Structures are given as C-alpha cells and as structure tokens.
C-alpha cells in the first residue's frame, strides 16, 4: 500500500479520502486555494499546500501545480475525487508519466467514456442497450430526418457534457435547428467541443445506475444499483439503494450489462454505469462515470464495502477480495445531498458564512460534510456542501430515519435545501417509491419553505440571555476595537454572538 497520497480535490470528497487514508495509515497531502485556507480538508490532512487563487482554473484544475506538489512532498499516488480533474484523461496520463499512481481507471477508458458518442458506439458493440439516438455526423437535414424517425421529443446532448449540463429537450421539429445551434455554442464554451448528438427523450424514466469495481487482474464485479431519480436540472438530489422497482431478474440483467460495459473498455478501479429505465422496465445505457461518485455511500452501507479503500487497494495492484457471488445487498440506504442553494428561487446557489452547523448523530446516520461551523461558502465551487446518509433494515425504516435526521440537521447562516428535503422525503409519492426523473417538477414547483420567522419577544429574550451568560472580560473584549479583539478566529470575537456549545 502507498505511504503518502495527494488528494487532488476539496470539500466533502477530499475529507472522505483523507479519512480512508488515515485508517489505512497513509499520510495525506491536501492542496487548497486561497479561498480554502481554513477549509476542513486543508486542516485534516497531514500536510496542506497552497496552490493558487480561488478560481478553479488557477487551483484545483491546475494539473502541473498539483503534480509538482505531489512530487515535492514525496507522494506515491494521486486521488482525484470527483469533479475537477477526475475525468480528465490527460491528467491521468500526466500523473502516470510523472511516476505516480493515479487512483482511477486507465486514461483510455476515461477518454472513451468521456466522449458520449464514442461510448454509445462501444456499448452497442458490446450488446449493452443504449438509448435510441443519432450520433450526429451529418448536417441539419440529417438531424431533422433522424429526429423524425426517433419521434419527438428528442434530447440534444453534448458529446463532452457532464454535471447535468449540455442537454436540451426539443419538443417540435420547428425548434430543432435553433436548438442545435445553441447547444453547439454552449458545448463549445463549456466542454471545449461542439459535438452534439440526439437521443430519444425517454418519457418519465428512472435513473438507475450500477457501481462496478475492476482490478488489474481481470476481475470485474458490480455492487448492485443506486436509484437516483430525484433530480433537479438533471442533477441528483436524493439517491437510494436498493431501487424500489428492480426485481431480481432485472437486477441480474442490468448488473451483467454494467459488467459487460466495464469489460468493453478495459476498465480498472471504481466506476458507475448509468442507465435509464422506462415505464415498460426496458433499460438503456446512459453513460459511464469513470470515477468515484457523489452517491457512493449508499452502496457502501448496503453492500458493506468501503469503496475508497477498494479504490486504493486496486490502484496498489491488489486483487479484488471478493467474487460476485460473495456480494449481496443488506437493508436499505438513502442519501440526501445538502446543497447551499435556495429551492424556492430556482435552486439558485447560496453563499455566506456558516454561523453554525449541527449535524445529526445517531445509529445508522452518516454525514459526509466538507464544511463546519465558521466556514465560508463562496461562489467559486460546487454548492454541494454535505451529504446525509442513513441506513435501515427496510426502506420504511430508512425513510423514517432520514426524516428524523433531516429534522436534526441545522445549518445557520447560509440558505440550504434542508427544509426542502424534509418535505420531499415525506411526500407520499416518494414514500411509495413512485419516483421518476420529473419528480421535482411534478410535485415541487412553487415550493415555499415553512414560515420559521421568530417573534420579536423571543429574539429579545435570547439576546438578554446571551448577554447575561457572557463573562464580563469577554463582553469587554467584544466591543473592543483594539489589540485584544484582534484574533479573528477566536469564537469570542465572532460578531454575531455565536458561542461554542450553545444554540
Ligand atoms: P454524480 O454523477 O457523481 O452523481 P454529478 O454528475 O452531479 O454527480 O457530478 C459530480 C460532481 O462533478 C458534481 O460536483 C458536478 O457539479 C461535477 N461535474 C461533473 N461533470 C462536470 C462537468 N462536465 N462540468 C462541471 N462540473 C461537473
Ligand atoms: P450527465 O453527464 O450530465 O450526468 P447524463 O447523460 O448522465 O448526463 O444524464 C443526466 C440526467 O439527464 C439523467 O439522469 C436523466 O434525468 C436526464 N436524461 C439524460 N438523457 C436522457 C434521455 N435520453 N431521456 C430522458 N432523460 C434523460
Ligand atoms: Mg450522468
């Protein structure tokens, strides 16, 4: 096993990787931007190195700088997490060319699966069903003819797209030419390639994906499914395992297709094969994410495998310690993504200082957070700040536990989607497992948070209690603009009156 590893990421996933390394006795090197000097991942790692200004291009996406830090600090391996450079084939190549181990798949697999058109072609060859579509080599007339054959609505997708971006639903033929132009322009700006293609727009599908693990010795297994149909803007909000709709037979078929997909590209390490499942329970390959995924914890809880440790073991050349037959699903796990965003305002990202964060603690409750009390959330990075994951013997138990845990979760100072999630997990359709990718648009348009305004007399009472409790020396310090008030990190000097250990 490695003795020292560079974590080329930030936020909750960097923290997750650092924790796994700590358990394994691997020393960790964090990298951080100027915006993350006091971030959790920066503080938790054995070493932390400043790599540049807040802008991702100048920091977490700056490949040379990351590799320079890895070499300078004597790291043997680099874990890319998800997002940033995780699915950048050139980065994987550069890491390996520098004599370091990239904790991820071969560059060729990343490159092939990163091109959604090439991936569809390879999957079709391997007899993995793909969403009916048109690969888009021709001119506008050929797009029009293809769309007519597929039947509207169709989806214009960017070959290099990701993160729910680069997709455009087209309902009528008259709108297709303009949609192609806009999609091409957007794709060129966002993904550096203007290649677009068509997919049949599957009506009210479910998003069901399979986790795979492959080692360097030709073993490929799947770790069953995750249902990720609760989405906003084509991005997942809630994930669970098992899926409420798969039966043993469909699960076996989809699992075999996922393994075939991984084999078809010579896959090694952890990856996810995403499928759409339609109302007739037909399934179609959507794409493969060649990295650890945000929602990997639900699989960990149900299958009992630590996926980050598995990634490290695979990267170190170890064979998988289990066969497919030895893997099984036990109980039910649900994950809610905690976003700093306002669900009442079109899920607009929110920024600000986390005045107080209180995470739920209890049996079978897990919080993977990248932030803590006192942290500042900026607009530079992804608004996903934490994940709440629960396990239960049955789906009902997990649902109850999730509702409880969301009620306990307090983040003050920054708008989050927690109150929204409380309503979603209690919604009858969600409770029934009746979830398709249009769930949020169907039931939650116009959602408003409950009125939580506090009466003036309560605020006054709280302020008086606060004042009465504060030691005199500190009170003097508080109003002092001189020397003693100079420590910006002392909790006594926080202007909004926060005290450790008190709500
Ligand atoms: P997952 O597929 O792991 O469930 P997402 O698809 O939401 O999760 O992507 C994982 C992370 O990477 C998110 O933080 C997302 O914003 C980011 N991401 C993935 N692909 C891209 C991309 N092409 N451009 C920008 N961000 C991306
Ligand atoms: P990304 O790379 O951005 O994750 P995906 O191809 O995985 O893109 O699609 C993300 C989401 O967009 C899916 O989970 C689904 O909700 C929706 N989607 C994508 N393709 C289709 C399709 N052909 N029909 C219906 N919905 C789709
Ligand atoms: Mg996807």
């Amino acid at each position: 096993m490695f003795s020292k590893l560079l974590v080329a990421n930030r936020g909750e996933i960097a923290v997750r990787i650092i924790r796994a390394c700590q358990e394994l006795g691997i020393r960790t090197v964090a990298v951080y931007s100027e915006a993350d000097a006091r971030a959790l991942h920066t503080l938790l790692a054995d070493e932390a190195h400043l790599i540049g200004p807040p802008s991702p291009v100048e920091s977490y996406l700056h490949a040379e700088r990351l590799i320079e830090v890895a070499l300078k600090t004597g790291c043997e391996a680099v874990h890319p997490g998800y997002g940033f450079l995780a699915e950048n084939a050139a980065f994987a190549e550069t890491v390996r060319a520098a004599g370091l181990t990239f904790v991820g798949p071969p560059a060729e697999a990343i490159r092939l699966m990163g091109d959604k058109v090439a991936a569809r072609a390879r999957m079709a060859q391997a007899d993995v069903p793909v969403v009916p579509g048109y690969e888009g080599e021709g001119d506008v007339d050929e797009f029009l003819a293809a769309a007519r054959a597929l039947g509207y609505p169709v989806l214009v997708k960017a070959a290099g797209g990701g993160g729910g971006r680069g997709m455009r639903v087209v309902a009528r033929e008259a709108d297709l030419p303009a949609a192609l132009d806009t999609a091409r322009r957007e794709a060129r700006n966002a993904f550096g390639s203007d290649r677009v293609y068509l997919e049949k727009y599957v009506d009210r599908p479910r998003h069901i994906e399979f986790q795979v693990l492959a080692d360097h010795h030709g073993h490929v297994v799947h770790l069953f499914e995750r249902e990720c149909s609760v989405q906003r803007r084509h991005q997942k909000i809630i994930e669970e395992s098992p899926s409420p709709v798969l039966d043993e037979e469909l699960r076996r078929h989809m699992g075999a297709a996922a393994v075939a997909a991984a084999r078809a590209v010579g896959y090694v390490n952890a990856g996810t094969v995403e499928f759409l499942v339609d109302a007739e329970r037909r399934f179609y390959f959507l794409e493969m994410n060649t990295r650890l995924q945000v929602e990997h914890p639900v699989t960990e809880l149900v299958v009992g495998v630590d996926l980050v440790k598995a990634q490290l073991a695979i990267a170190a050349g170890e064979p998988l310690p289990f066969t497919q037959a030895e893997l099984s699903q036990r109980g039910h796990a649900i994950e809610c993504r905690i976003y700093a965003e306002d669900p009442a305002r079109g899920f607009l990202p929110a920024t600000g200082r986390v005045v107080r964060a209180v995470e739920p603690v209890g049996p079978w409750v897990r919080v993977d957070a990248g932030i803590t009390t006192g942290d500042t959330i900026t607009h530079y990075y992804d608004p996903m700040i934490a994940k709440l994951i629960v396990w239960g013997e049955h789906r009902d138990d997990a649902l109850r536990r999730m509702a409880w845990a969301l009620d306990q979760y307090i983040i003050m100072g920054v708008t989050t989607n927690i109150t929204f999630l409380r309503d979603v997990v209690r919604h009858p359709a969600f409770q029934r497992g009746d979830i398709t990718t249009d769930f949020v648009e169907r039931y939650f348009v116009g959602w408003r948070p409950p009125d939580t305004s506090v009466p003036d007399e309560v605020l006054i009472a709280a302020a008086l209690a606060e004042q009465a409790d504060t030691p005199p020396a500190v009170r003097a310090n508080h109003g002092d603009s001189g020397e003693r008030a100079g420590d910006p990190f002392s909790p006594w000097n926080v202007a909004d009156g926060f005290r450790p250990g008190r709500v």
Side-chain angles (χ1 to χ4, degrees), residues 82-83 162-163 165 235-236 289 291 293-295 337 382:
Y82 57 72
R165 299 183 310 144
Q235 261 200 335
K236 303 155 190 166
N289 291 139
R291 54 171 162 88
Q293 265 186 310
V294 173
E295 58 273 23
R337 297 191 186 190
D382 199 274

Side-chain angles (χ1 to χ4, degrees), residues 14 42 55 65-66 73 85 89 118 120 140 145 175 199 203 224 273 351 384 405 418 455 472 476 479 485:
T42 308
S55 149
R65 215 163 281 164
L66 297 173
T73 54
L85 294 166
R120 284 168 53 88
V140 179
D175 298 337
E199 269 180 19
D203 185 40
F224 307 97
V273 184
T351 57
M384 200 199 72
I418 292 176

Side-chain angles (χ1 to χ4, degrees), residues 30 72 119 162 165 217 243 383 395 407 482:
K72 180 174 82 185
R165 299 183 310 144
H217 309 277
S243 160
R395 189 169 189 268
D407 288 347

Side-chain angles (χ1 to χ4, degrees), residues 259-502:
V259 168
R263 284 199 187 281
V265 294
Y267 203 82
V268 178
N269 216 291
T272 296
V273 184
E274 297 188 333
F275 298 100
L276 290 182
V277 177
D278 70 14
E280 281 76 51
R281 302 166 64 82
R282 286 176 298 218
F283 68 91
Y284 308 99
F285 171 85
L286 196 53
E287 65 159 345
M288 181 169 189
N289 291 139
T290 54
R291 54 171 162 88
L292 188 65
Q293 265 186 310
V294 173
E295 58 273 23
H296 74 275
V298 295
T299 299
E300 298 188 318
L301 297 190
V302 166
V303 185
V305 172
D306 183 318
L307 287 167
V308 177
K309 286 192 197 167
Q311 286 193 295
L312 293 166
I314 290 167
E318 293 172 23
L320 287 177
F322 36 68
T323 61
Q324 187 68 63
E326 286 165 339
L327 294 169
S328 60
Q329 294 169 295
R330 177 162 186 270
H332 199 100
I334 307 176
E335 171 181 280
C336 284
R337 297 191 186 190
I338 312 299
Y339 285 98
E341 66 181 20
D342 189 349
R345 292 171 63 208
F347 302 98
L348 192 73
T351 57
R353 188 163 164 283
V354 179
V355 174
R356 191 162 172 82
V358 185
E359 296 170 356
V361 181
W364 296 291
V365 175
R366 165 172 166 183
V367 178
D368 282 17
I371 55 120
T372 184
T373 295
D375 285 356
T376 300
I377 294 161
T378 66
H379 63 274
Y380 294 107
Y381 312 115
D382 199 274
M384 200 199 72
I385 52 175
K387 304 179 310 202
L388 172 60
I389 312 106
V390 302
W391 182 90
E393 195 74 51
H394 306 289
R395 189 169 189 268
D396 281 353
D397 303 323
L399 282 171
R400 264 194 295 274
R401 186 161 285 137
M402 179 57 88
W404 173 85
L406 283 167
D407 288 347
Q408 307 299 308
Y409 208 153
I410 296 167
I411 295 180
M412 276 158 55
V414 180
T415 305
T416 71
N417 64 342
I418 292 176
T419 47
F420 175 74
L421 290 166
R422 287 175 190 156
D423 287 350
V424 172
V425 302
R426 289 181 168 91
H427 193 279
F430 184 78
Q431 294 266 327
R432 284 196 306 272
D434 183 9
I435 35 183
T436 43
T437 56
D438 63 343
F439 176 86
V440 171
E441 288 114 85
R442 215 176 155 82
Y443 299 111
F444 285 89
V445 167
W447 177 88
R448 288 284 170 276
D451 181 13
T452 51
S453 55
V454 179
D456 284 351
E457 49 271 39
V458 175
L459 284 178
I460 293 165
L464 287 173
E466 183 77 29
Q467 191 74 9
D469 276 10
T470 309
V474 174
R475 220 182 296 148
N477 201 4
H478 231 342
D480 190 349
S481 57
E483 285 291 286
R484 283 173 305 151
D487 177 7
F489 304 120
S490 164
W492 302 114
N493 285 330
V494 173
D496 47 40
F498 158 71
R499 298 286 176 278
R502 291 200 40 220

